[in-house]
Amino acid sequence: MNIKIKEEARKMKLDAPKLAATAPEQRNRALEMIADALQSHASEIFEANHQDMEAAKASGVAAAVCKRLKFDEGKLRDVLGGIRQLISLPDPLGKVQLERELDEGLKLYRISCPIGVIGIIFEARPDALVQISTLCLKSGNCAILKGGKETVHTNRVLFRIIYESALAAGMPEGCMLQAEQHNEIDELLSCHKDVDLLIPRGSNQFVQYIMNHTKIPVMGHADGICHIYVDEKFDPEKAIPVIIDAKTQYTAACNTVETLLVNRKIAGEFLPVLADQLQAHGVKIRGTREVNGIIPCEIMEEEEFHTEYLDLILSVKLVEDVREAVEHINYYGSHHTDCILTEHQEHAEYFMQMVDSAGVYQNCSTRFADGFRYGFGAEVGISTGKIHARGPVGLEGLVTYKYRLFGQGQIVGDYASGKKKFHFRDFV
């Protein structure tokens, strides 16, 4: 399928206000119809995914990547659960964030509204297409969706089902668009007049390319170097299950733990026990020479702590206290999600205050960094930036606001001359 992204993006820009003006009941109805259609076309989706999986295996795609490509009954169940959760959430549009009378008869309102046209470029995971498109519909945003070639058949079927259901529910024709060709990415990156935001999901190299080749604002993250610090006041019953889950529950995810920092005071007792558990789960340990003096491991150098493995490999380092742990995380981390395992509340508070990351946790797996698990109805991605949205980006991250000012013939000259004065009275 060959389309002219620039031409279609321009049409979508014109349709964006129409989608923004749809009633919440209509958008929720579209989501219901999408969920029903996905369920009724399950066998068609699975067959398309089987084609993609066979092609991936034939081309030697790594097992960790194949896990992301798979769209089975479990994935379908998850995305349907996300849609149902999304339907239950309050409408994010039209919320009055500020109501202020500047002067008598001159009223200012700040109202939430969609961002407009969002381009989402993602690799591998076909379930991401469902999450992104439904989140965009619920938030009143038009979406240009570009998935990876590895799941071209699955994405094509999913998009058709979703788009046809949206149109049947009365959504405007330009509510979403699918791009399939690789060369369409660069064309999309050049649409800075009509595309309001880009959200890339994929490898570090992929995200960096997007960021460096467009004038469109980009929201997302390039790395997922997540840490767990085991404090001297930790609970062994909590620590090992949390670490194992954070490393092995879904190894290819960006919220998987990559580096373990252990307080020296407890390392001699704790590390041998943990190493046995990690080995039982197939996890390879790489550590400093100091760690190697306690447990067998591959020795790594300090600069290697910048590594994101996305594999069953864990970096381990000993630190003196929570302060040294925080310094390491802020220097080597990606500002994604980091955790402290401790029963000492002051240490926990210090960690949460001082670690400069989108998510800071105490005594739980970093794998909780997810829009669905936060109750956002899935996510379009995770942002490690600090402007507009941070962490898992759900509905609230997909809206902005506009100011509405209602007057009765007032002019600025009267206020500049002193004839009139503002009295700024807030009502909200």
Side-chain angles (χ1 to χ4, degrees):
M1 178 178 66
N2 291 310
I3 57 174
K4 296 290 185 181
I5 295 293
K6 285 189 175 182
E7 294 177 10
E8 295 301 322
R10 183 59 189 151
K11 294 177 186 176
M12 295 181 83
K13 188 72 170 179
L14 297 175
D15 266 351
K18 299 175 187 176
L19 180 59
T22 56
E25 296 80 11
Q26 188 179 5
R27 280 178 272 122
N28 281 337
R29 176 58 184 154
L31 296 180
E32 291 172 359
M33 293 175 66
I34 288 169
D36 291 343
L38 290 171
Q39 185 73 71
S40 62
H41 289 82
S43 59
E44 183 183 355
I45 297 168
F46 298 153
E47 175 56 34
N49 187 245
H50 178 73
Q51 286 183 261
D52 290 328
M53 293 296 292
E54 290 299 308
K57 291 173 184 175
S59 61
V61 173
V65 177
C66 281
K67 189 174 181 180
R68 285 188 158 195
L69 303 181
K70 193 172 182 62
F71 193 95
D72 54 14
E73 291 183 7
K75 291 281 182 73
L76 178 60
R77 184 171 57 250
D78 288 344
V79 297
L80 292 178
I83 295 173
R84 285 190 286 270
Q85 188 181 70
L86 203 52
I87 293 169
S88 71
L89 294 176
D91 182 38
L93 306 181
K95 291 183 177 179
V96 179
Q97 301 175 347
L98 177 145
E99 183 180 357
R100 175 175 296 167
E101 188 176 70
L102 309 186
D103 192 8
E104 187 174 348
L106 188 60
K107 290 187 176 181
L108 178 70
Y109 299 86
R110 187 169 70 208
I111 310 293
S112 63
C113 64
I115 290 172
V117 179
I118 301 178
I120 305 97
I121 311 170
F122 55 98
E123 294 179 332
R125 298 172 47 190
D127 50 320
L129 187 146
V130 183
Q131 296 170 354
I132 292 163
S133 57
T134 52
L135 274 166
C136 285
L137 277 177
K138 174 79 175 189
S139 58
N141 288 288
C142 296
I144 300 175
L145 304 156
K146 173 64 180 77
K149 62 181 181 180
E150 305 89 347
T151 51
V152 61
H153 297 97
T154 316
N155 288 341
R156 189 176 295 158
V157 171
L158 288 172
F159 178 82
R160 175 176 55 77
I161 294 168
I162 293 169
Y163 183 59
E164 289 178 356
S165 299
L167 293 184
M171 298 296 106
E173 184 178 346
C175 64
M176 64 181 69
L177 173 73
Q178 183 183 31
E180 292 188 330
Q181 305 302 318
H182 183 73
N183 61 5
E184 291 170 341
I185 293 179
D186 286 332
E187 190 177 353
L188 174 58
L189 299 186
S190 69
C191 295
H192 58 274
K193 290 184 178 180
D194 298 312
V195 177
D196 299 290
L197 180 69
L198 285 176
I199 304 177
R201 292 178 62 164
S203 66
N204 182 310
Q205 183 180 9
F206 170 75
V207 175
Q208 291 289 357
Y209 178 86
I210 300 299
M211 291 178 170
N212 295 330
H213 290 82
T214 187
K215 296 179 182 179
I216 304 169
V218 177
M219 181 167 65
H221 69 282
D223 299 302
I225 304 174
C226 301
H227 298 74
I228 292 179
Y229 165 59
V230 187
D231 188 50
E232 70 266 32
K233 301 294 184 180
F234 78 114
D235 181 344
E237 297 297 317
K238 298 175 185 175
I240 290 179
V242 167
I243 294 168
I244 296 298
D245 182 87
K247 183 70 257 183
T248 68
Q249 197 274 330
Y250 190 67
T251 313
C254 60
N255 55 16
T256 295
V257 66
E258 303 289 17
T259 298
L260 182 70
L261 304 173
V262 180
N263 190 287
R264 285 192 180 88
K265 299 180 185 68
I266 52 97
E269 177 183 357
F270 175 67
L271 279 180
V273 179
L274 175 66
D276 288 343
Q277 291 294 316
L278 289 171
Q279 185 177 11
H281 285 81
V283 179
K284 176 184 175 181
I285 300 174
R286 304 186 73 227
T288 61
R289 296 181 188 278
E290 188 177 13
V291 171
N292 184 249
I294 301 175
I295 56 172
C297 67
E298 178 184 320
I299 296 175
M300 63 183 293
E301 301 303 324
E302 187 73 15
E303 62 271 14
E304 294 180 87
F305 282 102
H306 285 294
T307 306
E308 181 183 20
Y309 297 111
L310 299 176
D311 200 353
L312 290 172
I313 305 171
L314 183 66
S315 299
V316 182
K317 178 182 179 180
L318 305 189
V319 294
E320 189 62 29
D321 53 23
V322 66
R323 286 171 173 76
E324 186 179 347
V326 168
E327 289 176 2
H328 177 101
I329 292 169
N330 285 343
Y331 182 77
Y332 289 103
S334 57
H335 311 291
H336 192 297
T337 304
D338 301 288
C339 170
I340 181 172
L341 300 177
T342 187
E343 301 304 308
H344 194 294
Q345 205 53 38
E346 288 184 13
H347 290 180
E349 287 298 328
Y350 180 86
F351 184 92
M352 291 191 165
Q353 177 65 43
M354 300 303 290
V355 169
D356 183 23
S357 294
V360 284
Y361 294 1
Q362 179 187 5
N363 294 336
C364 55
S365 171
T366 56
R367 287 281 293 123
F368 281 105
D370 178 87
F372 179 74
R373 297 185 183 107
Y374 280 9
F376 295 168
E379 66 190 27
V380 294
I382 291 182
S383 172
T384 54
K386 298 182 182 181
I387 297 176
H388 180 65
R390 197 178 193 195
V393 181
L395 283 179
E396 295 300 322
L398 293 180
V399 299
T400 182
Y401 54 80
K402 63 173 66 173
Y403 288 97
R404 299 180 180 183
L405 184 61
F406 297 88
Q408 297 177 0
Q410 291 89 343
I411 60 172
V412 168
D414 287 342
Y415 296 90
S417 66
K419 182 179 178 181
K420 290 185 176 181
K421 292 184 178 180
F422 297 110
H423 60 226
F424 301 127
R425 183 179 299 122
D426 287 347
F427 296 102
V428 176

